[in-house]
Amino acid sequence: GTGSSGTITFSSIPSTYSSLQIRARMRNTTAATTASSLRVRFNGDTASNYAHHTLSGDGSAAAATGTSPQGYINVANCNPCDSVASNIMGVSIIDLHDYASTTKNKVSRALSGADSNAADTTFKIVLSSGLWVNTAAITSIDLVSATGSWTTSTVFSLYGIRGS
């Protein structure tokens, strides 16, 4: 992250892998003591071609949501805002299988976690899935902060997984 942009883009993704994995360590610049969301888009598509489902828990309560159509896949409550205690980062691992297929809609799954103020009662763990209703091969991925910009301590890594 740069502290001045809310979007990080991976572009020119080759179709030489069977799957992709994104590993994220994130925080945004919004002055709030909550955790925001990470929004994922493919190939620059901002139309309502996405759906997502989320199951989250904080140790005392669980919640489930589902939304469609949307203009993005939402990875909820994994992106701490800047007024959260210093050095608190959100994390996420997002898997994209068959991303290069031109005959299947694309699906994702994510395991994420974040804390809002370094207290055990505000930690959330989130399991989410997403759908992009499009059979195009994924050649670019936009990672968008739902609020603010990505801080300079934010890091996204994209891995290609070879398969048989």
Side-chain angles (χ1 to χ4, degrees), residues 71-91:
Y72 50 84
I73 293 172
N74 195 54
V75 182
N77 299 318
C78 63
N79 178 13
C81 297
D82 202 45
S83 295
V84 170
S86 62
N87 299 320
I88 300 292
M89 303 293 288
V91 294

Side-chain angles (χ1 to χ4, degrees), residues 67-157:
T67 306
S68 77
Q70 288 287 115
Y72 50 84
I73 293 172
N74 195 54
V75 182
N77 299 318
C78 63
N79 178 13
C81 297
D82 202 45
S83 295
V84 170
S86 62
N87 299 320
I88 300 292
M89 303 293 288
V91 294
S92 190
I93 298 173
I94 303 168
D95 292 313
L96 302 165
H97 299 290
D98 294 327
Y99 77 99
S101 171
T102 57
T103 60
K104 300 177 185 176
N105 291 325
K106 306 307 177 281
V107 295
S108 67
R109 89 173 156 223
L111 179 60
S112 310
D115 195 343
S116 293
N117 67 6
D120 290 338
T121 58
T122 60
F123 184 82
K124 292 206 185 298
I125 188 163
V126 181
L127 177 62
S128 53
S129 64
L131 168 67
W132 181 39
V133 184
N134 195 311
T135 58
I138 295 173
T139 58
S140 71
I141 302 170
D142 293 329
L143 303 164
V144 181
S145 178
T147 60
S149 297
W150 296 116
T151 63
T152 56
S153 57
T154 296
V155 176
F156 290 98
S157 300

Side-chain angles (χ1 to χ4, degrees), residues 35-51:
S36 183
S37 295
L38 162 63
R39 295 177 176 172
V40 182
R41 294 185 179 123
F42 304 118
N43 297 357
D45 183 3
T46 60
S48 296
N49 296 320
Y50 303 87

